[in-house]
Amino acid sequence: MKSQTSLPMKRSSSMVEFPTSPQPAVGEEITHYAHSQHPLTELTLPELFTCSGCKEFGAGKRFACQQCDFQLHEFCAVSPPLLKNHPLHGQHQLVFHSKPRPAKGGISWPRCDVCGKSTKGFTFRCRACSFQMHPCCAMLSTEINFPIHPHPLKLLPAFNTSSGANMGVNCGECNKRRSGRMYRCTVCEYHLHAVCAKPLINGLGPNGIPTPEKPSALGTAARLASQVVIEFIGGLIEGFGEGMGEVIVQSIARGRCISRRRIRE
């Protein structure tokens, strides 16, 4: 377990630099407690990967196992045990956790208070309140420079990410409205979601990789429901015999055809 030493933060124009112990040389192997059975080697590859620590996408620099598929973002591999005076939550200390808070009802994962996305792995969490954020979000600063916009962007005051307080403003990058923190241009009315700024940090932006779209919860639920129905009918066929099962399937199909005919009429 990492020692609980309080460390200050360094700031740059676009990201926060984690205060860490001396960095390994390029290509050097390290041993990480989250994957102690094999060493991890620092690599820089352009391909997309899913971090085994925070469960988010990444590209470019990483620490990877040469014997299995375990890979970590660089910032996940060197995350300090404690953050003090972080610019996104300076009022309390933030403690690094390798395991997320449990999903509510086993379905809905807690959300990051910066980007508004689910937290399914490594997180920094506050002991004094419910604040939490991904390691990638902890690399964001209060002011950033976004490549496609000529002016600096400043982070707007925090709102409750679950309330959707920022959802009334369109993002200049994705042209959508969503929960989570938001940046605003210091000169014009350009707005940017914090989640849309994350490709600057996780390597997707520099490697020209668009953030993959994940399936919606509604679509996933529909697929699960279809699978349940198919398995149910399969069970009926096994239980009643093929002849009876075929009659049930044909009846269902005939009922659908009648319903469609009535709708057309």
Side-chain angles (χ1 to χ4, degrees), residues 233 236-237 240 243-253:
I233 293 175
L236 288 177
I237 291 173
F240 296 125
M244 181 65 72
E246 289 175 0
V247 170
I248 293 172
V249 172
Q250 290 172 4
S251 297
I252 293 173

Side-chain angles (χ1 to χ4, degrees), residues 173-188:
E173 172 67 6
C174 68
N175 198 32
K176 296 179 181 178
R177 301 179 182 184
R178 57 167 296 147
S179 59
R181 300 290 295 272
M182 203 163 209
Y183 289 92
R184 181 180 177 181
C185 179
T186 57
V187 178
C188 62

Side-chain angles (χ1 to χ4, degrees), residues 76 194 231:
C76 284
E231 291 177 358

